[in-house]
Amino acid sequence: MTTIDAIILETPDPAAAEAFYAAAFDLKDRVRASASQAPTSGFRGYTMSLVVGQPSTVDSLVATALAAGATTLKPAKKSFWGYGAVVQDPFGTIWKIASSSKKNTEPDTRRIDEIVLLLGVSDVAVTKQFYADQGLSVAKSYGRKYVEFATANIKLALYGRRFAAKDAGVPIDGSGSHRLVIDSDAGTFTDPDGFAWNTAVATN
């Protein structure tokens, strides 16, 4: 199974970004920041999702994100699928915080059960095949609409770009750098939509 060690989010001010991730979500080393001045505008073609156990955890994480400087794209509310919200951090990354549960069943622990990187791509089938050729195993697939891969530590999923933007609550338009690097054991390559992968360096 492919392991995604970390998501590297590029920003002109990595120290401030690291401080935000720690204060808002306590993501430790699974999401890191690195310096970049690469031009970027509009929708960057991806979202980060934090999957949690219940609505109170969604509310808690949204509250700390907003207190740390994030802005609301979609306020927290119940839906057919559960309960969730979407915020954008001060550095441009979009975060979806969601639970499949609509009711609280225990005290809030702020525990994040899963981190998901959702890539909005131009052709789901083409990108699915590209990643299969890189050795990633498909866990779920719904035609040209949605794909999940069997990855450890951080989950990778594909969605059509238009649907990814709609789900995030932003216009589809965007250009320039994704400001994203995927650190993994899959190798170093760039996918058909320009998302960069880097070979993770082993640490003791």
Side-chain angles (χ1 to χ4, degrees):
M1 178 183 291
T2 298
T3 297
I4 298 178
D5 293 85
I7 302 300
I8 313 300
L9 300 176
E10 298 178 332
T11 172
D13 192 343
E18 294 275 10
F20 171 86
Y21 306 144
F25 307 129
D26 190 23
L27 294 174
K28 298 181 172 62
D29 60 352
R30 288 188 289 177
V31 175
R32 303 198 297 267
S34 67
S36 174
Q37 299 286 345
T40 186
S41 64
F43 181 45
R44 294 180 186 171
Y46 73 92
T47 60
M48 297 292 299
S49 292
L50 306 179
V51 181
V52 302
Q54 59 186 20
S56 65
T57 306
V58 173
D59 292 337
S60 177
L61 293 171
V62 168
T64 52
L66 295 178
T71 56
T72 300
L73 294 177
K74 287 187 174 182
K77 67 176 183 178
K78 291 181 180 179
S79 69
F80 177 78
W81 301 106
Y83 183 85
V86 182
V87 301
Q88 187 168 34
D89 73 28
F91 316 96
T93 299
I94 296 170
W95 298 84
K96 182 176 182 179
I97 307 160
S99 170
S100 60
S101 175
K102 298 179 185 181
K103 294 182 179 180
N104 297 316
T105 58
E106 62 180 357
D108 173 37
T109 63
R110 288 181 58 84
R111 183 181 66 248
I112 296 170
D113 297 327
E114 199 169 49
I115 299 175
V116 183
L117 171 62
L118 177 70
L119 303 181
V121 301
S122 58
D123 190 317
V124 171
V126 168
T127 305
K128 171 187 172 183
Q129 185 59 53
F130 174 86
Y131 281 120
D133 292 343
Q134 302 303 315
L136 277 73
S137 299
V138 174
K140 297 179 183 179
S141 180
Y142 301 97
R144 291 180 174 269
K145 294 183 178 180
Y146 179 80
V147 175
E148 282 182 13
F149 294 95
T151 53
N153 196 39
I154 296 171
K155 181 181 288 185
L156 175 69
L158 307 178
Y159 213 11
R161 181 182 172 95
R162 178 167 64 90
F163 294 108
K166 182 179 180 181
D167 187 56
V170 297
I172 190 174
D173 299 326
S175 63
S177 174
H178 294 299
R179 293 222 179 151
L180 171 79
V181 177
I182 302 163
D183 213 20
S184 81
D185 60 3
T188 299
F189 55 86
T190 301
D191 80 4
D193 291 271
F195 290 102
W197 288 63
N198 183 61
T199 302
V201 177
T203 57
N204 294 327

